[in-house]
Amino acid sequence: MKNSKYFGFVGLGLIGGSIARNLRKLYPDSTILVYYYNKEKINPELLLAQEEGIVNTIVTNFTEGFPQCDIIFLCAPVLKNISYLSKLKEVMKPDCILTDVGSVKGNIHDAIRKENMETYFIGGHPMAGSEKTGYGNSTLSLLENAFYVLTPTIKTPDSHLNTMEKLVKAIGAIPIILQAKEHDNVTAAISHVPHIIAATLVNLVQDHDDGKEHMRALAAGGFKDITRIASSSPIMWENICLTNPDSIVSFLHIFNDYIQQIITAIEQNNSDYLLNYFGRSKSYRDNIQNKSVSIIEPVYEILVDVMDKKGTIATVATILASHDISIKNIGIIHNREFSQGALHIEFYEEAVRMNAISILKDYNYKLFTK
């Protein structure tokens, strides 16, 4: 990567912006170009990236700067990325690496084969993100310790793959090599289907709430945890469903079979089945690594066992503030599921959360952490 001084971006949202920030830090003298399709009105966020010194030049034609690029990142929506391939093919130099950041790989690999661009391409999926979108929310740390899946083609040169692995490590992420189909099956099971389930649960409650919206008023704890991902971009998830239909539908059918089995067990009062069902899920879930590799930003939170009375929030907030602890969000939970505390506190970073836990324990507060 020492000679790779030209980087091109097609789109510069949350993920692309975070990659660009890291490239600027790693290669301060490099040239970073961004393509934008609208010649009449440039996106204000791209102008911000230029003002901040992350981007050198904004171009509206691939003939400007892109022929010199060593690596080009496709960071537009998946279907949009595919529409640019033929134009990029005309200008890319022979040793250029073309990669993307989409969460579906099969369809862009198919398009790459049709364009005979397999020697250029390595699919990429940084498994990190936030429900917040756009360059303005990008950060240097977004990809830190996140899995970054790379999906080479059968014609990808080893040198290109090695370059991308080194780059992924350099920006603080963890490279994982998968085949495109394997990637799409994995992400369908652990990301795409869970999002559909979360959205369905939210719609179920919305559609069956009473006139006084008691369900929404009482929703907390487990419901909010399991449906948090439903807050992310509807446009992005529409795109994902349309570009990874086979894997998603396959796992939805499997999920439906599981639901039918649990329905039957409940109807038949099958205690043994239910105990085993929840026991297996608990055991597996408890052994999943406690770090975020999803498209939703992690939540750094604690629950504090306190009396729900006047001055409680102020007291705890004052204690933390006196120790220079910044609080992202704090409030009383009125639905105390799982017999856990009534005061919910969110922080910006895991290190801050751990410091807060230590401080509040010194003040003899009882804490519940995840």
Side-chain angles (χ1 to χ4, degrees):
M1 281 298 298
K2 291 183 178 179
N3 296 323
S4 294
K5 298 297 184 182
Y6 278 79
F7 302 100
F9 284 81
V10 180
L12 196 74
L14 177 72
I15 298 295
S18 296
I19 293 173
R21 289 182 186 277
N22 276 276
L23 292 177
R24 176 59 68 210
K25 180 180 179 181
L26 288 168
Y27 309 102
D29 297 326
S30 65
T31 299
I32 298 179
L33 311 168
V34 177
Y35 167 81
Y36 192 65
Y37 63 92
N38 190 340
K39 297 180 180 180
E40 306 300 325
K41 186 178 181 181
I42 300 297
N43 187 325
E45 289 207 326
L46 297 186
L47 296 176
L48 173 62
Q50 194 172 41
E51 290 172 8
E52 291 180 342
I54 303 300
V55 170
N56 296 94
T57 308
I58 302 168
V59 302
T60 57
N61 193 304
F62 286 126
T63 60
E64 303 175 51
F66 274 77
Q68 286 77 49
C69 285
D70 300 292
I71 302 178
I72 296 173
F73 294 87
L74 298 171
C75 302
V78 177
L79 297 177
K80 201 71 175 175
N81 285 337
I82 291 174
S83 71
Y84 293 130
L85 294 180
S86 59
K87 293 180 181 179
L88 286 168
K89 182 181 177 180
E90 295 176 359
V91 302
M92 290 167 57
K93 63 182 183 179
D95 60 346
C96 180
I97 296 173
L98 178 65
T99 187
D100 75 324
V101 298
S103 64
V104 178
K105 299 270 78 80
N107 62 336
I108 193 165
H109 272 267
D110 289 342
I112 286 290
R113 279 192 296 271
K114 291 177 182 177
E115 292 287 347
N116 194 27
M117 299 174 69
E118 290 176 284
T119 56
Y120 295 105
F121 188 69
I122 301 173
H125 179 197
M127 298 187 72
S130 167
E131 57 264 47
K132 298 176 183 178
T133 60
Y135 170 81
N137 291 302
S138 64
T139 66
L140 269 172
S141 61
L142 183 72
L143 304 176
E144 187 174 342
N145 293 321
F147 290 126
Y148 195 125
V149 179
L150 296 173
T151 58
T153 73
I154 59 173
K155 296 182 181 179
T156 297
D158 290 341
S159 59
H160 282 14
L161 184 57
N162 290 336
T163 295
M164 284 302 300
E165 283 189 273
K166 290 178 181 177
L167 180 61
V168 168
K169 291 177 181 178
I171 64 177
I174 304 167
I176 301 290
I177 312 300
L178 294 176
Q179 295 301 310
K181 181 59 178 177
E182 183 181 16
H183 166 276
D184 287 355
N185 280 334
V186 168
T187 53
I190 67 171
S191 176
H192 304 166
V193 168
H195 184 92
I196 292 169
I197 293 169
T200 302
L201 287 172
V202 173
N203 288 337
L204 181 150
V205 168
Q206 178 178 226
D207 294 344
H208 292 83
D209 208 349
D210 59 30
K212 295 184 178 180
E213 296 189 327
H214 284 119
M215 289 185 184
R216 183 169 72 166
L218 297 174
F223 181 81
K224 292 189 73 175
D225 286 344
I226 200 172
T227 60
R228 184 167 61 95
I229 55 176
S231 293
S232 52
S233 168
I235 296 174
M236 178 182 72
W237 283 99
E238 176 208 26
N239 209 280
I240 287 172
C241 288
L242 294 177
T243 53
N244 193 23
D246 293 343
S247 294
I248 291 174
V249 169
S250 175
F251 278 101
L252 282 174
H253 281 305
I254 294 171
F255 178 76
N256 186 58
D257 291 339
Y258 277 71
I259 291 296
Q260 291 302 317
Q261 291 169 23
I262 198 72
I263 289 172
T264 300
I266 294 171
E267 289 176 340
Q268 296 177 354
N269 295 313
N270 190 335
S271 177
D272 290 341
Y273 182 93
L274 293 171
L275 188 62
N276 179 66
Y277 190 88
F278 292 114
R280 284 201 317 120
S281 66
K282 181 183 186 307
S283 178
Y284 189 84
R285 175 62 178 81
D286 288 348
N287 283 283
I288 294 177
Q289 289 183 330
N290 186 28
K291 68 177 182 178
S292 174
V293 293
S294 71
I295 62 164
I296 303 296
E297 66 182 14
V299 175
Y300 307 110
E301 63 185 358
I302 58 175
L303 298 171
V304 187
D305 192 3
V306 294
M307 295 296 293
D308 185 0
K309 63 180 182 180
K310 186 177 180 180
T312 295
I313 294 178
T315 299
V316 174
T318 300
I319 290 171
L320 295 176
S322 68
H323 290 81
D324 295 323
I325 297 292
S326 296
I327 296 173
K328 182 178 182 181
N329 194 17
I330 186 170
I332 295 290
I333 294 179
H334 297 285
N335 180 350
R336 299 181 62 170
E337 294 186 275
F338 313 120
S339 299
Q340 294 186 355
L343 185 61
H344 175 254
I345 311 174
E346 290 185 26
F347 306 93
Y348 289 95
E349 298 176 353
E350 175 63 10
V352 176
R353 185 184 83 100
M354 295 304 296
N355 193 15
I357 290 172
S358 177
I359 292 166
L360 291 176
K361 282 184 176 179
D362 287 343
Y363 281 82
N364 296 316
Y365 282 99
K366 183 179 181 181
L367 307 179
F368 300 91
T369 59
K370 297 183 179 182

